[in-house]
Amino acid sequence: MLSVAELDISHIRLGERPLIVCDVDDVVLGFIDPFQLFLQSLGHEFLPRSFRLHGNIVSKADGTEIGAQQVSRLIEEFFEAQELWQTPVDRVVETLGRLSQAADILFLTAMPPRFQDHRRRLLDSAGLLFPLLASEQPKGPIVHALHASRSFPIAFIDDMAHNLHSVREHVADCLLIHLMPDSPVHRFAPAAADDITRASDWAHAAELIDAHFRSGTFNRAAPAA
Protein backbone atom coordinates (compact mmCIF):
# COMPACT_ATOMS: atom_id res chain seq x y z
CA MET A 1 0.00 0.00 0.00
CA LEU A 2 1.26 3.47 -0.88
CA SER A 3 2.02 5.89 1.92
CA VAL A 4 0.27 9.26 2.02
CA ALA A 5 3.53 10.84 0.87
CA GLU A 6 3.40 8.65 -2.24
CA LEU A 7 -0.17 9.58 -3.19
CA ASP A 8 -0.36 11.66 -6.35
CA ILE A 9 -2.05 14.89 -5.28
CA SER A 10 -0.34 17.02 -7.91
CA HIS A 11 -3.65 17.68 -9.65
CA ILE A 12 -5.21 19.13 -6.49
CA ARG A 13 -5.16 22.93 -6.57
CA LEU A 14 -6.70 24.55 -3.50
CA GLY A 15 -7.54 28.24 -3.46
CA GLU A 16 -7.43 30.79 -0.69
CA ARG A 17 -10.81 29.83 0.67
CA PRO A 18 -12.56 27.11 2.72
CA LEU A 19 -12.36 23.43 1.79
CA ILE A 20 -15.05 20.74 1.73
CA VAL A 21 -13.79 17.15 1.53
CA CYS A 22 -16.51 14.70 0.64
CA ASP A 23 -16.81 10.93 0.46
CA VAL A 24 -18.56 9.55 -2.64
CA ASP A 25 -20.31 6.19 -2.17
CA ASP A 26 -23.70 6.65 -0.48
CA VAL A 27 -22.88 10.33 0.06
CA VAL A 28 -22.59 11.76 -3.46
CA LEU A 29 -23.43 8.67 -5.53
CA GLY A 30 -25.87 6.00 -4.44
CA PHE A 31 -24.09 2.75 -3.64
CA ILE A 32 -26.07 0.24 -1.60
CA ASP A 33 -29.26 0.41 -3.68
CA PRO A 34 -27.58 0.13 -7.11
CA PHE A 35 -25.24 -2.55 -5.76
CA GLN A 36 -28.26 -4.61 -4.75
CA LEU A 37 -29.70 -4.24 -8.26
CA PHE A 38 -26.34 -5.26 -9.70
CA LEU A 39 -26.33 -8.37 -7.50
CA GLN A 40 -29.88 -9.25 -8.53
CA SER A 41 -28.89 -9.05 -12.18
CA LEU A 42 -26.34 -11.81 -11.47
CA GLY A 43 -28.72 -14.04 -9.52
CA HIS A 44 -27.59 -12.94 -6.05
CA GLU A 45 -29.30 -11.19 -3.17
CA PHE A 46 -28.02 -8.97 -0.38
CA LEU A 47 -29.48 -9.66 3.07
CA PRO A 48 -29.16 -6.67 5.43
CA ARG A 49 -28.16 -8.63 8.52
CA SER A 50 -25.21 -6.43 9.52
CA PHE A 51 -23.24 -3.44 8.23
CA ARG A 52 -21.06 -5.61 5.99
CA LEU A 53 -21.15 -6.86 2.43
CA HIS A 54 -19.11 -10.00 3.14
CA GLY A 55 -21.24 -12.68 4.75
CA ASN A 56 -24.53 -11.14 3.67
CA ILE A 57 -24.74 -12.00 -0.05
CA VAL A 58 -26.51 -15.22 -1.00
CA SER A 59 -27.64 -17.05 -4.12
CA LYS A 60 -31.25 -16.28 -5.02
CA ALA A 61 -31.62 -19.84 -6.28
CA ASP A 62 -30.92 -21.72 -3.06
CA GLY A 63 -29.88 -19.17 -0.40
CA THR A 64 -26.28 -20.37 -0.32
CA GLU A 65 -23.92 -17.77 1.10
CA ILE A 66 -21.43 -16.36 -1.40
CA GLY A 67 -17.83 -16.84 -0.26
CA ALA A 68 -15.61 -13.96 0.78
CA GLN A 69 -13.34 -14.07 -2.28
CA GLN A 70 -16.29 -14.06 -4.65
CA VAL A 71 -17.88 -11.13 -2.79
CA SER A 72 -14.63 -9.19 -3.18
CA ARG A 73 -14.70 -9.95 -6.91
CA LEU A 74 -18.33 -8.81 -7.14
CA ILE A 75 -17.44 -5.49 -5.51
CA GLU A 76 -14.62 -4.98 -8.00
CA GLU A 77 -16.91 -5.91 -10.89
CA PHE A 78 -19.41 -3.36 -9.64
CA PHE A 79 -16.76 -0.63 -9.52
CA GLU A 80 -15.72 -1.63 -13.03
CA ALA A 81 -19.34 -1.19 -14.19
CA GLN A 82 -20.28 1.70 -11.87
CA GLU A 83 -21.10 4.04 -14.76
CA LEU A 84 -24.03 1.76 -15.64
CA TRP A 85 -25.45 1.62 -12.13
CA GLN A 86 -24.65 4.58 -9.89
CA THR A 87 -26.37 7.97 -9.99
CA PRO A 88 -26.13 11.12 -7.82
CA VAL A 89 -28.14 11.23 -4.61
CA ASP A 90 -30.94 13.75 -4.21
CA ARG A 91 -29.94 17.43 -4.33
CA VAL A 92 -26.20 16.81 -4.27
CA VAL A 93 -25.45 18.34 -7.68
CA GLU A 94 -27.18 21.65 -7.02
CA THR A 95 -26.01 21.80 -3.38
CA LEU A 96 -22.34 21.27 -4.18
CA GLY A 97 -22.65 23.66 -7.09
CA ARG A 98 -23.82 26.39 -4.70
CA LEU A 99 -21.25 25.58 -2.04
CA SER A 100 -18.47 25.67 -4.64
CA GLN A 101 -19.09 29.38 -5.13
CA ALA A 102 -17.46 30.01 -1.75
CA ALA A 103 -15.36 26.89 -1.10
CA ASP A 104 -13.12 24.39 -2.82
CA ILE A 105 -14.59 20.89 -3.00
CA LEU A 106 -12.61 17.66 -3.13
CA PHE A 107 -13.95 14.11 -3.47
CA LEU A 108 -12.06 11.53 -1.40
CA THR A 109 -13.42 8.10 -2.29
CA ALA A 110 -12.50 4.85 -0.55
CA MET A 111 -11.93 2.52 -3.47
CA PRO A 112 -9.01 0.88 -5.29
CA PRO A 113 -7.19 3.61 -7.25
CA ARG A 114 -7.36 1.54 -10.44
CA PHE A 115 -11.06 2.44 -10.65
CA GLN A 116 -10.46 6.19 -10.32
CA ASP A 117 -10.85 6.82 -14.07
CA HIS A 118 -14.24 5.05 -14.06
CA ARG A 119 -15.39 7.20 -11.16
CA ARG A 120 -14.01 10.34 -12.76
CA ARG A 121 -16.06 9.74 -15.90
CA LEU A 122 -19.18 9.04 -13.86
CA LEU A 123 -18.82 12.17 -11.75
CA ASP A 124 -18.10 14.28 -14.83
CA SER A 125 -21.17 12.93 -16.62
CA ALA A 126 -23.28 14.09 -13.66
CA GLY A 127 -21.74 17.58 -13.71
CA LEU A 128 -19.70 16.93 -10.56
CA LEU A 129 -16.41 18.21 -11.90
CA PHE A 130 -14.56 18.65 -8.60
CA PRO A 131 -11.13 17.04 -8.03
CA LEU A 132 -11.06 13.39 -7.02
CA LEU A 133 -8.72 11.19 -5.00
CA ALA A 134 -9.29 7.42 -4.80
CA SER A 135 -7.46 5.64 -1.99
CA GLU A 136 -7.94 2.75 0.41
CA GLN A 137 -5.76 4.43 3.05
CA PRO A 138 -7.14 6.03 6.23
CA LYS A 139 -8.68 9.36 5.37
CA GLY A 140 -7.40 11.40 8.31
CA PRO A 141 -3.74 11.50 7.21
CA ILE A 142 -4.77 12.29 3.63
CA VAL A 143 -6.94 15.24 4.67
CA HIS A 144 -4.17 16.43 6.98
CA ALA A 145 -1.64 16.30 4.14
CA LEU A 146 -3.94 18.41 1.98
CA HIS A 147 -4.94 20.95 4.62
CA ALA A 148 -2.19 21.13 7.27
CA SER A 149 -0.56 24.34 6.03
CA ARG A 150 -3.83 26.17 5.35
CA SER A 151 -5.56 28.70 7.61
CA PHE A 152 -9.07 28.36 6.21
CA PRO A 153 -12.07 26.43 7.58
CA ILE A 154 -12.62 22.84 6.51
CA ALA A 155 -15.57 20.44 6.51
CA PHE A 156 -15.50 16.67 6.00
CA ILE A 157 -18.54 14.57 5.04
CA ASP A 158 -18.72 10.77 5.14
CA ASP A 159 -21.17 7.94 5.82
CA MET A 160 -18.63 5.85 7.74
CA ALA A 161 -17.96 6.61 11.41
CA HIS A 162 -14.37 5.32 11.27
CA ASN A 163 -13.51 7.79 8.48
CA LEU A 164 -14.97 10.67 10.48
CA HIS A 165 -13.02 9.58 13.54
CA SER A 166 -9.83 9.31 11.47
CA VAL A 167 -10.17 12.89 10.22
CA ARG A 168 -10.99 14.15 13.72
CA GLU A 169 -7.71 12.65 14.99
CA HIS A 170 -5.62 14.40 12.32
CA VAL A 171 -7.30 17.70 11.44
CA ALA A 172 -7.98 20.37 14.05
CA ASP A 173 -11.30 22.26 14.07
CA CYS A 174 -12.73 20.34 11.12
CA LEU A 175 -16.51 20.29 10.87
CA LEU A 176 -17.40 16.58 10.75
CA ILE A 177 -20.72 15.60 9.18
CA HIS A 178 -22.17 12.10 9.24
CA LEU A 179 -24.37 11.77 6.16
CA MET A 180 -25.77 8.42 5.07
CA PRO A 181 -28.93 7.04 3.46
CA ASP A 182 -31.81 5.64 5.45
CA SER A 183 -31.45 2.05 4.29
CA PRO A 184 -31.97 -1.29 6.08
CA VAL A 185 -28.22 -1.98 6.06
CA HIS A 186 -27.23 1.50 7.26
CA ARG A 187 -29.38 0.96 10.34
CA PHE A 188 -26.65 -1.43 11.46
CA ALA A 189 -23.92 1.18 10.90
CA PRO A 190 -21.66 2.00 13.87
CA ALA A 191 -22.58 5.28 15.47
CA ALA A 192 -20.27 8.26 15.15
CA ALA A 193 -18.97 9.99 18.27
CA ASP A 194 -21.37 12.33 20.05
CA ASP A 195 -19.55 15.46 18.88
CA ILE A 196 -20.04 14.52 15.20
CA THR A 197 -23.21 15.92 13.69
CA ARG A 198 -25.60 13.68 11.79
CA ALA A 199 -27.09 15.40 8.72
CA SER A 200 -30.47 14.19 7.53
CA ASP A 201 -29.85 15.13 3.89
CA TRP A 202 -27.79 17.43 1.67
CA ALA A 203 -29.91 20.48 2.48
CA HIS A 204 -29.17 19.94 6.18
CA ALA A 205 -25.47 19.32 5.48
CA ALA A 206 -25.27 22.60 3.56
CA GLU A 207 -26.84 24.48 6.47
CA LEU A 208 -24.22 23.04 8.84
CA ILE A 209 -21.38 23.94 6.47
CA ASP A 210 -22.65 27.49 5.92
CA ALA A 211 -22.94 28.03 9.68
CA HIS A 212 -19.44 26.66 10.30
CA PHE A 213 -17.87 28.84 7.64
CA ARG A 214 -19.65 31.93 8.97
CA SER A 215 -18.77 31.24 12.61
CA GLY A 216 -15.03 31.75 12.30
CA THR A 217 -14.51 29.15 15.05
CA PHE A 218 -11.66 27.38 13.33
CA ASN A 219 -7.95 27.22 13.97
CA ARG A 220 -6.00 29.78 11.96
CA ALA A 221 -2.74 28.09 12.95
CA ALA A 222 -1.65 24.99 11.06
CA PRO A 223 -2.81 21.89 13.04
CA ALA A 224 -0.22 19.54 14.41
CA ALA A 225 0.53 16.30 12.59
Side-chain angles (χ1 to χ4, degrees):
M1 180 180 295
L2 293 175
S3 69
V4 171
E6 294 173 304
L7 277 177
D8 181 11
I9 60 174
S10 61
H11 63 292
I12 307 300
R13 297 285 187 270
L14 301 179
E16 298 295 306
R17 59 185 194 157
L19 173 63
I20 300 168
V21 181
C22 187
D23 180 37
V24 177
D25 285 312
D26 271 340
V27 175
V28 171
L29 300 174
F31 175 81
I32 193 62
D33 288 344
F35 184 64
Q36 290 184 80
L37 293 174
F38 169 77
L39 291 174
Q40 291 170 16
S41 74
L42 298 174
H44 306 310
E45 182 178 9
F46 175 74
L47 302 179
R49 300 178 293 197
S50 66
F51 194 58
R52 299 179 71 249
L53 299 179
H54 291 80
N56 288 326
I57 298 174
V58 301
S59 166
K60 291 175 66 176
D62 58 13
T64 302
E65 183 178 309
I66 304 300
Q69 289 187 343
Q70 186 177 353
V71 171
S72 295
R73 286 196 299 270
L74 287 168
I75 295 169
E76 293 195 350
E77 289 171 9
F78 178 76
F79 283 144
E80 182 77 30
Q82 62 186 276
E83 296 164 82
L84 301 176
W85 297 95
Q86 291 184 271
T87 57
V89 304
D90 288 345
R91 302 185 68 173
V92 67
V93 175
E94 55 267 40
T95 302
L96 288 181
R98 182 185 68 76
L99 290 170
S100 71
Q101 297 175 18
D104 286 333
I105 295 172
L106 169 68
F107 294 134
L108 179 56
T109 187
M111 67 187 306
R114 63 183 177 279
F115 298 115
Q116 178 162 316
D117 288 346
H118 300 73
R119 177 134 294 173
R120 179 73 275 165
R121 290 193 301 267
L122 175 53
L123 292 168
D124 288 351
S125 70
L128 295 162
L129 307 178
F130 310 109
L132 169 69
L133 283 176
S135 175
E136 296 180 287
Q137 298 184 45
K139 292 189 175 183
I142 297 175
V143 178
H144 178 267
L146 290 162
H147 183 71
S149 63
R150 291 164 42 84
S151 59
F152 296 91
I154 180 171
F156 176 76
I157 310 167
D158 207 291
D159 68 320
M160 299 284 195
H162 71 271
N163 290 328
L164 293 156
H165 297 163
S166 176
V167 171
R168 182 180 60 173
E169 291 172 5
H170 291 86
V171 183
D173 297 318
C174 180
L175 172 65
L176 302 166
I177 298 177
H178 195 192
L179 177 61
M180 62 181 183
D182 182 15
S183 75
V185 65
H186 280 86
R187 293 168 193 167
F188 291 99
D194 291 341
D195 59 342
I196 295 174
T197 303
R198 172 77 184 272
S200 56
D201 54 25
W202 265 103
H204 185 198
E207 291 176 4
L208 295 169
I209 292 169
D210 287 337
H212 178 67
F213 288 174
R214 287 195 305 266
S215 71
T217 56
F218 51 89
N219 187 0
R220 291 190 174 276

